[in-house]
Amino acid sequence: MIGWLKKRLSSGKVSTASQMVFEATRQPSGGRSRNRTRMAMGAFFLFYAVIAGRLVYFGFQDPNGDGGPAAHITASRPDIVDRNGSVLATDIKTFSLFAEPRRIIDADETIEKLSTVLPDLAMEETYKKLKSGKGFIWLRRQLSPRQQNDIMQLGLPGIGFRTENRRFYPAGPVASYIVGLTNRDNQGISGLEKYIDDQGLADLQASGLATPADLKPVKLSIDLRVQHIVRDEALQAMQRFHAIAAGAVVINAKTGEIVAMASVPDFDPNNPVGANDKDKLNRMSAGLYEMGSTIKSFTTAMALDSGKVNLNSTFDARRPIVIGRRTIRDFHGKNRILSVPEVFIYSSNIGSAREADVVGIEGHREFLKRMGLLDRMQTELPEVAKPTEPKVWKKVHSITIAFGHGMSTTPLQTAVGAVALMNGGRLMPPTFLPRTLDEAMAVSKQVVTEKTSEDMRYLYRLNAEKGSGKKAEVPGYRVGGKTGTAEKVVNGRYSSNKRFNAFLAAFPMDDPQYVVLSIIDEPEPEKPGMGATAGSNAAPIVANIIRRSASMLGVKPDFRQEEPVTLVSYE
Amino acid sequence: MLSRLDKSPVATWWWTVDRWFLAAFLSLMGLGIVLSFAASPAVADRIGLDTFHFATRQIMFMIPALGAMLAVSFLSPRQVRRMALIMLGIFLVMMVAVLFMGVEVKGARRWLSFGGLSVQPSEFLKPAFVVICAWLFAEQAKRTIPGNILAIGLLAVVISLLVLQPDLGQTMLTLGTWGVMFFLAGMSWFWIALFGGVGVTGAFAAYTIFPHVASRLDRFLSGEGDMYQVDMGRDAVIAGGWFGVGPGEGVVKRMIPDSHADFVFSVAGEEFGIMACMLIMSIFAFIVLRGMKIALKEHDEFTRLAVAGLVTVFGFQSIINMGVNLQLLPAKGMTLPFISYGGSSLIAIAISMGMVLALTRRGPEKLKNHRLSMPRTLVPAE
């Protein structure tokens, strides 16, 4: 280039071969340069066309398509009502606060202002979330309309609300274990809420068909008034006897409907903090216990039902039974020959073992199986435990199981078995949904004879009058029942001071309408020196429940029958 | 109304000036004011200034800008050339000064501060450089001086000064404009290919030498890393849709750090819609294409190249800015002529468009120039 420059400067002449040829020199503003201007115009036109195309492309973009919150459907759920129509669970509209961190202008200001409405906002965590640059984050779910309004008033950019359904339980903790819980997304996760989902609501919601208008309320067999009484009594008993837990259930003896069932400690489903704690367990259906002497109801019924034993049969309870390393004694030892009613009201372990012996090991197991005490109970509630029994039944098992040890079952199952013993022998799966008598007959099966049932009613009533169940008496309601004071297994041994007490009762005994079972786990004597047997703590629970709820349950008191005119002497 | 018979300078100007151009420039200035009200309050609030700080200043700058444009449009082509020469001298000195006395902003020295007034010399250098190069190319055609060599030398000086600041955006713009003028001047394909090769090599060198250029390009190509401003710009346009969310209703614009300057086009998109963006773009396209069309018919080589060069800078600048706003190009600090906030940029653009108005006036002197140039240019090359 320097050479060319020199040449150019020295000669002033140009030769076509050695230098740049400027066509423009020959053809100013014409020919090639015109073409070039046209080419430049074309290029510019193209550039602008690309920009215009881009604008049109943006025009067809969905403004909310990028990074925005994905459509979020919170499920609508049907209301849950009790048998009288009182609402147990319903959907309410709440407002969930979200932020779009990419659109937050000043994270500090946002947090500062939000915390005036939500003082418990976790500052550092929220700050990190807001600075994350994500498209969508939840800040706080399920706010009240008032909180929503207050936050709206702050006028903060980059945040917004989504309407969500939230489950509200007007009864609070009263029926918490029955009704259950939903998660944040309004899906049933426990209790009957989960049952409703499992019945197809979940599919319905997934398909988008679950609109609030279409959802009929789910009616339960629960009577909220009775439920309240049952829970209240369980709670009082737990406090009074410093127990770790208590519970009770009221079952309609004719239909198998569960009218009330409570287990304490429980939780408030509206604020289910600690609902997953270890002690928050529905002990009535999901707790497995060696039920103790209440099981003697079944042993006795089995002996009677076998036809080999009648109410006048006697059993030798003079000395303990020794089997292997174990010695079976009586708690209230009479050390004499006992009749069947005596075995029952004195709760004789020896007598019960002998009753089981009459039937034999196989027969014993078969009977308990028939009563549904060895299988997982079939009902709507998902939280149901599977009973445990010895892998191989031996003589010793049959003997201990005869008085309620060596086999664990759930309190609810025991009560359901008792229903069959009371109602003339019809065993029916319990239900939390309304059931008519006809339906009950259709799903039930005869497990013991009418006669056995009649004998059992007599024995229950007798035990309440003369035996361990005296404290269950309620004037006018002819309560009958069987106590159970079981020693709990602690570190593989039966503990003499940790007990599981139960009272299995029915009323009125001339035609039992309801079976009531109460349990109390590890009760202590009310006052030092007093006993802590089922008769002193579990039986009064039943008595109180019946006293307070019988009128609501439609059972009329009959004071004429207070004197045991129908009872015969058995000695 | 001015009479055709009136021979006063104003009347002469009115009847000779290209009123299409004038209308386009004035409407862009008007849009600039309107959009400064849309785009700048959020920025002003954010950095703690009075809400309408930038809008007020934009209007204040608009007055001298309009004055400068009209004043320059009265000049004859010869006067334009002289003025460009003077500007070139002054601002080349300032470009050197800026390297030593400049205010450092974000790692670059581009601004000189006089009292309270900041000046960006490179903005004023651009039109001067274009006009002088046009003159040099034209003179080369007349063979009075070795114009090409001088043009190359001038380019080298200007580019060196820009790279030293460093201001890669202006460097590319200057190179591109020079290249277009070189192309329009009718150079042979051999030289175009050679310079094109040098340009590509230079771009590659910039990529390897300057880390921020490399990272910006990488981010654009990969779509990863800090694309915040560009993403927001795109989101704003998409949020606006065809007809916008309405004046003052924009939300995304608040997220864009430079919404009043480099991203004013996105703000226009959000608040006034894609149709408004189309309108703004059409005005730019109209100015560039009309400039080129006039150049096509222009017989005077200097005027032809100067007009083409000036609208090329203008066009490139608008294309790059809109391209960045619409995520077509990697993020590059480039103002949208007449519309983006910034005093230096606004007045410099006004001066350069004033030159376009001056050069495109249909006047007797132009005819005279044309005649004078005819005999020379008609001499055959050999």
Side-chain angles (χ1 to χ4, degrees), chain B residues 6-154:
Chain B
D6 187 348
K7 291 293 172 197
S8 73
V10 175
T12 312
W13 175 84
W14 175 249
W15 292 116
T16 54
V17 76
D18 187 307
R19 270 166 267 167
W20 282 107
F21 263 146
L22 191 61
F25 297 148
L26 291 177
S27 50
L28 278 183
M29 287 171 135
L31 281 171
I33 289 173
V34 170
L35 290 177
S36 80
F37 278 98
S40 72
V43 183
D45 282 344
R46 194 183 320 129
I47 59 179
L49 295 168
D50 175 53
T51 303
F52 293 107
H53 173 86
F54 290 116
T56 321
R57 281 175 68 98
Q58 179 83 343
I59 294 169
M60 277 163 54
F61 284 130
M62 213 51 100
I63 296 162
L66 185 63
M69 184 173 81
L70 294 179
V72 172
S73 70
F74 275 90
L75 303 179
S76 66
R78 184 182 292 270
Q79 287 167 319
V80 167
R81 198 160 61 216
R82 275 190 199 144
M83 179 187 159
L85 197 61
I86 295 163
M87 276 174 73
L88 188 71
I90 293 171
F91 289 104
L92 270 179
V93 171
M94 280 172 71
M95 287 284 281
V96 176
V98 88
L99 298 176
F100 301 100
M101 303 153 60
V103 187
E104 188 165 329
V105 179
K106 293 176 192 166
R109 291 175 186 277
R110 297 172 187 172
W111 295 82
L112 271 183
S113 192
F114 298 102
L117 204 66
S118 291
V119 175
Q120 192 179 357
S122 58
E123 289 285 353
F124 292 93
L125 190 68
K126 272 185 290 181
F129 171 77
V130 167
V131 170
I132 296 304
C133 280
W135 176 59
L136 289 173
F137 284 132
E139 288 306 307
Q140 172 73 46
K142 296 178 207 160
R143 306 182 183 230
T144 47
I145 50 167
N148 284 337
I149 307 301
L150 289 175
I152 291 171
L154 183 59

Side-chain angles (χ1 to χ4, degrees), chain A residues 72-210:
Chain A
H72 183 91
I73 305 156
T74 48
S76 290
R77 304 184 63 79
D79 285 359
I80 299 178
V81 297
D82 85 338
R83 64 186 306 128
N84 303 315
S86 296
V87 176
L88 293 171
T90 187
D91 275 352
I92 55 171
K93 282 215 184 324
T94 59
F95 304 93
S96 289
L97 176 65
F98 66 85
E100 294 172 83
R102 284 153 54 93
R103 298 182 197 280
I104 296 277
I105 293 161
D106 186 341
D108 289 309
E109 187 203 17
T110 307
I111 292 176
E112 202 175 300
K113 286 196 171 169
L114 276 181
S115 60
T116 61
V117 180
L118 307 169
D120 53 338
L121 200 69
M123 296 273 187
E124 211 163 302
E125 195 195 331
T126 312
Y127 185 81
K128 271 187 203 143
K129 276 192 193 168
L130 291 181
K131 283 283 181 189
S132 65
K134 285 181 186 156
F136 180 91
I137 54 159
W138 284 118
L139 285 180
R140 183 66 65 85
R141 301 281 289 268
Q142 300 178 339
L143 298 170
S144 67
R146 191 205 179 114
Q147 284 172 313
Q148 186 214 19
N149 183 50
D150 287 351
I151 291 171
M152 291 276 219
Q153 297 296 326
L154 298 175
L156 293 168
I159 61 168
F161 293 93
R162 230 158 237 295
T163 310
E164 288 194 295
N165 285 320
R166 190 203 163 148
R167 214 55 171 156
F168 177 65
Y169 303 92
V174 170
S176 52
Y177 286 120
I178 298 171
V179 175
L181 276 178
T182 59
N183 64 9
R184 282 261 170 105
D185 296 320
N186 230 15
Q187 293 159 334
I189 52 169
S190 72
L192 291 176
E193 295 274 29
K194 185 169 193 305
Y195 167 77
I196 292 168
D197 275 17
D198 294 343
Q199 290 306 297
L201 178 69
D203 300 334
L204 209 61
Q205 282 165 346
S207 65
L209 292 173

Side-chain angles (χ1 to χ4, degrees), chain A residues 1 4-5 8-9 12-16 18-67 100-106 133 157-158, chain B residues 46 140-141 143 145-146 148-149 152 180 182-189 191-192 195 228 231-232 234-235 237-239 241-242 251-252 254-255 265 274 277-278 281 284-285 288-289 292-293 295-299 301 304 311-312 314-316 318-319 322-323 325-328 377 379 381-382:
Chain A
M1 191 164 278
W4 167 77
L5 189 64
R8 181 103 174 74
L9 289 171
K13 283 194 174 178
V14 280
S15 73
T16 36
S18 66
Q19 40 82 42
M20 302 163 86
V21 175
F22 299 108
E23 292 296 326
T25 310
R26 284 185 211 133
Q27 301 169 301
S29 61
R32 180 181 283 182
S33 62
R34 274 204 185 174
N35 281 338
R36 293 213 172 159
T37 311
R38 284 198 192 96
M39 283 162 77
M41 284 174 83
F44 271 110
F45 184 80
L46 268 182
F47 287 147
Y48 284 113
V50 168
I51 288 170
R54 183 72 163 179
L55 280 168
V56 170
Y57 168 76
F58 278 169
F60 287 110
Q61 294 281 298
D62 179 9
N64 299 318
D66 173 67
E100 294 172 83
R102 284 153 54 93
R103 298 182 197 280
I104 296 277
I105 293 161
D106 186 341
Chain B
R46 194 183 320 129
Q140 172 73 46
R143 306 182 183 230
I145 50 167
N148 284 337
I149 307 301
I152 291 171
V180 169
F182 185 75
F183 175 77
L184 292 179
M187 305 305 156
S188 78
W189 286 106
W191 290 100
I192 291 165
F195 284 122
Y228 183 76
D231 281 349
M232 283 299 129
R234 183 204 56 198
D235 286 358
V237 177
I238 293 175
W242 291 105
V251 174
V252 185
R254 294 172 188 278
M255 247 70 59
F265 190 66
I274 286 168
C277 288
M278 290 277 195
M281 189 212 76
F284 282 110
V288 173
L289 294 180
M292 287 289 178
K293 186 167 162 273
L296 195 65
K297 290 180 180 162
E298 179 60 57
H299 295 282
E301 188 70 3
R304 187 176 80 85
V311 295
T312 298
F314 188 80
F316 273 161
S318 71
I319 287 167
M322 289 187 281
N325 272 266
L326 299 176
Q327 236 178 33
L328 285 167
T377 52
V379 172
E382 284 298 306

Side-chain angles (χ1 to χ4, degrees), chain A residues 288-292 404-409 486-489 494 500:
Chain A
L288 281 179
Y289 297 100
E290 293 184 320
M291 291 300 293
H405 284 273
M407 162 194 101
S408 296
T409 190
E487 289 171 353
K488 284 179 79 170
V489 176
Y494 284 99
F500 173 80

